[in-house]
Amino acid sequence: MAVPAAIDLVDLALKATTAYERPDLAVRLEQARRRLADPAIRVLVVGEFKQGKSQLVNALVNAPVCPVDDDIATAVPTAVRYAETTSVALVREGSSPDSPPQRTDIPLNKLAEYVSEAGNPGNRAQLAYADIAIPRKLLSGGMVLVDTPGVGGLGSAHGAATMSALPTADAVLLVSDAAQEYTRPELEFLDAARKLCPNVACVLTKTDLYPHWRRIADLDRGHLDRAGVNAPIFPVSSMLRLHAAQTKDDALMAESGFRELIDYLLRQVVGAADDLARRSTSQDVLLVCDQLTAQMKSELSVQENPERVEAMMAELNRAKQRAEDLKRNTARWQITLNDGVADLQSDIDYDLRDRLRSIGREAEQLIDDADPAEVWDQFAQWFHQQVAAAASANFVWAHERARWLAGQVAEHFAESIEVVLPELRFEDEGMAGKVDALERPEVRDDKLFGKLMTGARGGYGGMLMIGMASTVAGFAMLNPISGAAGLLFGVKTVRDEKKRNLERRQAETKTAVRKHIDEVTFQVGKDSRDMLRRTQRQLRDHFSAVAEELTTSISASVMAAQGALKTTTGERDQRIRDLRAEIDRVDGLANRARALVANLPAPQPVAVTTR
């Protein structure tokens, strides 16, 4: 693993910045070291309810850490990480954005009371997640397995929350049992996940319960090929894996399918994170080396060629001016960043409103065609899935566009300068998780007595009206004609009242739909704008720091060149030898940084999907 070697390299570079009195360069290296010291590699385990996600996590770590039972469903995300001793803690968000999370330690055997739907329905305890630490070799490299709640439809609100967590994940395992082939929501989730996460894999569970699992696996591979999703499928049996680990049965372990899955996690996921750590560390150290040697090379050039001092000073002053220009608000990269964020905010807001307006029109048509009281459960489920899917799709597109903008800003910052693109992180929040559910309209349950009273009121008026009119013809007020009229008017009144109630329910449902869409637009739009502002601040601070480092280095080079003119011939020879020795030392550090990324595959370019 590269982390120890990368940490040693960063520590050596930090010593160099101290020796050469460049504390401004140490800030970048200290940030890199903090990242390397806590190499959390998040693997999200996602899927529908009762697909075997929790049992899969238990089988991977060979320990019953996640509650599993026929009547237990996960309600709170559960993170399983490495530690020397076992511990369990419940984590709640702080009372304010600036306050730290609140942790409460509990025994492992009490975990089900807090993370399951039975013990904590709908997460009434308002837990952010449960944190489990156990000593397992699989997790020692920094891997963190996150057992997510069953989403109840990957287009549901839980699905949207899971979708918004994907950019912070290093890998996603979509869990589906061998009872049936992939559904359309699962395929849509996979297509979105591969745009947000570098590693996406599928796990087919419960192969020990379904003899036809090979047929299901073939069907799933066909679905993935037609959808253009390049993701491996791992058929596994968690029960066989646990039994094989207990009995030390190698044949049973091979049959469980977990060896291939664990190999994938170690090679593709941990290995990819290892490559990223190597690449980012190498870039940081190389940039620091360039800044350190710039001053020494300028002075060495003046010492060796004093007759060219005027030309070199002019070149250094031009470089200093270019670096100063990069710090101004009128710099091209600043304009690109500001205009790009403004355009993104407008495009993303329009995209979200357009998606939700289409859902609103379709919902109102469905309401007009049916009685909301009779189809409410089906309608509410469909509506929530459509809204969550729209929010998720909007988030995916916003994320892709933000990544593309980061590349454009880096390109415009300086074509001649190798710029390290900062790692963009998005908050792990559901894009529509803060919006209340669709409000159900009031339904007046008219019993038989109520209908009789309504009919009696209408019938009495009709009977009285016809009866009084019939007295002109010499009939009594109460006669067969007035009685029949009263009956007809009573039936009509009941029907009219039923129609009015239906129209009222439809109007109230439409109002609830519009209100819900407004709240989703407000909340999701706020989340998107916050995400873009965070991206803007990250990019601005990163490239401003780079511009400041360049200015400091060039200013030091100018001073060193000016000081070189004051040395005598004897001092000049000694100074040349010293400068060459110092440059060789820094070049040795740079060579170690290059060796750290030797033979690594080239990073993939950023792709942007247009809607």
Side-chain angles (χ1 to χ4, degrees):
M1 191 172 180
V3 169
I7 289 178
D8 292 342
L9 181 63
V10 171
D11 288 341
L12 187 60
L14 281 169
K15 293 179 181 178
T17 59
T18 302
Y20 295 113
E21 299 180 352
R22 287 298 303 271
D24 56 314
L25 298 177
V27 175
R28 176 194 306 278
L29 296 174
E30 288 169 353
Q31 292 175 349
R33 200 187 191 290
R34 282 194 294 270
R35 291 196 304 267
L36 294 170
D38 185 20
I41 303 169
R42 285 163 49 92
V43 179
L44 295 186
V45 183
V46 304
E48 304 279 5
F49 282 113
K50 311 307 292 182
Q51 298 296 305
K53 299 187 302 298
S54 299
Q55 189 72 298
L56 176 68
V57 174
N58 292 344
L60 282 170
V61 299
N62 191 25
V65 290
C66 297
V68 176
D69 204 343
D70 291 339
D71 58 349
I72 288 181
T74 305
V76 177
T78 304
V80 184
R81 58 181 176 84
Y82 177 81
E84 294 293 338
T85 58
T86 301
S87 64
V88 180
L90 304 175
V91 182
R92 293 179 174 85
E93 296 295 341
S95 56
S96 66
D98 298 330
S99 59
Q102 303 174 1
R103 297 176 62 90
T104 305
D105 293 331
I106 62 169
L108 180 60
N109 58 7
K110 297 290 185 182
L111 184 63
E113 299 178 9
Y114 298 94
V115 302
S116 67
E117 283 288 348
N120 182 19
N123 192 16
R124 292 185 303 186
Q126 298 297 308
L127 299 176
Y129 64 94
D131 183 56
I132 302 175
I134 59 173
R136 286 296 183 273
K137 183 178 180 180
L138 177 66
L139 307 177
S140 61
M143 186 189 305
V144 179
L145 298 172
V146 183
D147 180 22
T148 61
V151 294
L154 291 167
S156 65
H158 286 301
T162 301
M163 188 75 69
S164 66
L166 292 181
T168 67
D170 297 279
V172 174
L173 299 180
L174 177 66
V175 179
S176 180
D177 64 29
Q180 65 174 10
E181 57 192 286
Y182 284 141
T183 61
R184 181 178 177 182
E186 288 175 324
L187 293 172
E188 291 175 349
F189 179 87
L190 280 171
D191 182 61
R194 67 187 179 91
K195 300 175 183 177
L196 299 176
C197 185
N199 298 290
V200 177
C202 306
V203 181
L204 191 66
T205 59
K206 304 180 183 179
T207 57
D208 56 313
L209 297 180
Y210 301 100
H212 60 281
W213 65 266
R214 291 179 178 83
R215 172 62 177 164
I216 298 298
D218 291 339
L219 291 173
D220 288 343
R221 289 190 183 95
H223 289 313
L224 294 180
D225 291 340
R226 286 187 291 273
V229 177
N230 184 19
I233 299 178
F234 298 98
V236 300
S237 170
S238 300
M239 298 303 296
L240 289 182
R241 150 76 173 178
L242 292 170
H243 185 68
Q246 184 178 4
T247 60
K248 309 296 183 182
D249 189 333
D250 288 341
L252 199 60
M253 181 66 73
E255 186 179 351
S256 71
F258 269 80
R259 283 179 177 168
E260 292 79 4
L261 176 59
I262 292 174
D263 183 70
Y264 168 82
L265 291 174
L266 293 178
R267 291 180 180 272
Q268 298 296 324
V269 179
V270 178
D274 181 84
D275 291 348
L276 179 61
R278 287 173 179 267
R279 187 172 287 110
S280 61
T281 302
S282 175
Q283 288 176 333
D284 286 336
V285 174
L286 285 174
L287 184 59
V288 168
C289 290
D290 289 341
Q291 300 297 324
L292 291 177
T293 57
Q295 173 184 349
M296 292 183 282
K297 288 180 178 178
S298 297
E299 184 181 354
L300 178 62
S301 180
V302 173
Q303 296 283 10
E304 292 179 332
N305 303 284
E307 69 280 359
R308 295 187 63 247
V309 64
E310 293 184 2
M312 285 185 287
M313 290 296 297
E315 183 180 349
L316 286 174
N317 285 325
R318 287 193 296 270
K320 182 179 179 181
Q321 185 60 46
R322 288 196 299 269
E324 291 285 352
D325 291 341
L326 288 174
K327 296 165 57 178
R328 294 191 174 92
N329 292 333
T330 55
R332 187 183 180 192
W333 73 271
Q334 291 269 27
I335 296 173
T336 300
L337 176 60
N338 295 332
D339 291 349
V341 169
D343 291 343
L344 272 182
Q345 287 179 342
S346 176
D347 292 345
I348 292 170
D349 183 67
Y350 174 81
D351 176 77
L352 178 64
R353 291 179 180 274
D354 182 54
R355 293 178 190 272
L356 293 179
R357 286 179 62 186
S358 299
I359 295 172
R361 287 192 294 268
E362 188 174 355
E364 291 190 7
Q365 184 61 48
L366 292 174
I367 293 170
D368 289 334
D369 296 339
D371 185 352
E374 296 177 357
V375 300
W376 177 258
D377 292 337
Q378 298 90 333
F379 173 78
Q381 181 182 9
W382 170 86
F383 181 71
H384 283 137
Q385 287 181 347
Q386 294 296 312
V387 170
S392 298
N394 180 261
F395 174 75
V396 171
W397 190 55
H399 177 271
E400 289 185 285
R401 289 285 302 274
R403 293 283 183 182
W404 175 83
L405 176 62
Q408 291 294 109
V409 173
E411 181 180 344
H412 292 169
F413 180 79
E415 287 78 0
S416 60
I417 300 175
E418 184 178 355
V419 179
V420 181
L421 192 63
E423 183 181 5
L424 302 181
R425 283 287 183 177
F426 297 84
E427 297 297 326
D428 185 5
E429 297 180 358
M431 294 302 291
K434 302 173 185 176
V435 181
D436 294 333
L438 181 65
E439 183 179 350
R440 183 167 189 163
E442 180 183 359
V443 178
R444 296 179 183 177
D445 188 11
D446 291 335
K447 302 295 184 181
L448 179 60
F449 179 75
K451 294 179 180 179
L452 289 175
M453 291 299 296
T454 300
R457 286 195 299 270
Y460 175 78
M463 183 182 65
L464 183 62
M465 179 180 63
I466 300 301
M468 293 186 64
S470 62
T471 57
V472 178
F475 293 99
M477 180 176 293
L478 295 177
N479 57 70
I481 297 176
S482 63
L487 180 62
L488 291 174
F489 273 87
V491 170
K492 183 178 184 302
T493 302
V494 171
R495 290 179 176 175
D496 290 345
E497 181 66 19
K498 183 179 179 180
K499 183 179 179 181
R500 281 194 297 271
N501 287 336
L502 173 61
E503 292 174 347
R504 178 182 55 80
R505 287 194 296 270
Q506 290 174 333
E508 290 179 355
T509 304
K510 289 180 180 180
T511 301
V513 165
R514 297 188 190 106
K515 180 180 177 182
H516 186 82
I517 288 179
D518 286 343
E519 291 185 3
V520 171
T521 303
F522 173 78
Q523 185 60 59
V524 176
K526 173 70 163 54
D527 292 340
S528 296
R529 287 190 294 273
D530 289 345
M531 180 269 291
L532 290 175
R533 279 193 291 269
R534 286 192 297 269
T535 302
Q536 183 179 21
R537 282 193 292 269
Q538 281 182 272
L539 294 173
R540 180 199 62 203
D541 295 344
H542 175 80
F543 292 114
S544 295
V546 173
E548 186 65 35
E549 292 169 2
L550 289 172
T551 303
T552 303
S553 297
I554 296 173
S555 298
S557 298
V558 172
M559 295 179 62
Q562 292 173 342
L565 296 176
K566 302 177 182 178
T567 58
T568 63
T569 303
E571 292 173 340
R572 181 176 297 116
D573 293 339
Q574 181 61 41
R575 184 58 180 164
I576 289 174
R577 289 192 294 269
D578 292 342
L579 287 172
R580 285 175 177 172
E582 295 297 332
I583 292 174
D584 288 341
R585 290 192 185 94
V586 179
D587 285 345
L589 180 62
N591 290 333
R592 288 186 58 177
R594 295 186 186 96
L596 195 64
V597 295
N599 302 321
L600 287 185
Q604 296 297 319
V606 178
V608 180
T609 302
T610 57
R611 191 188 160 205

